[in-house]
Amino acid sequence: MPKANELTPDETPAAEAASLADEAQRVLADAAKQIEAAVQQGLEQLRAQSRVAADAASQQIEDASEYVSEQVRSRPLAATGLALGVGVVIGLLLAQQTRR
């Protein structure tokens, strides 16, 4: 039996420090797992939201493409003139850029 002023091996400062270090490692490991789970959940939500947004954008592009196609079919000369005009404007802008 240890004397009153003697420490048992479980009560030594080194043992207490090791015990505290083990507990700190457990706490940090648990915190890391919780953070990882939260990040994974956030990524899953972001993926779901981005899929919805991508689907909506895809539908809008498809609708716009269909509208433009209808307009070109109904007014082919106007569409040709518009395309020619846009081409001329782009050509003039590019020509000005090369002169500078």
Side-chain angles (χ1 to χ4, degrees), residues 27-85:
V27 169
L28 287 175
D30 289 343
K33 287 178 185 176
Q34 290 176 353
I35 290 169
E36 182 180 4
V39 168
Q40 288 295 332
Q41 183 181 9
L43 286 174
E44 288 174 15
Q45 288 176 348
L46 183 62
R47 283 185 194 117
Q49 290 172 350
S50 64
R51 267 188 239 119
V52 170
D55 290 345
S58 176
Q59 183 62 44
Q60 288 178 346
I61 289 171
E62 188 176 315
D63 291 346
S65 175
E66 193 173 309
Y67 173 77
V68 169
S69 293
E70 288 174 7
Q71 294 300 314
V72 168
R73 280 189 211 107
S74 67
R75 300 182 187 109
L77 290 178
T80 303
L82 180 63
L84 178 65

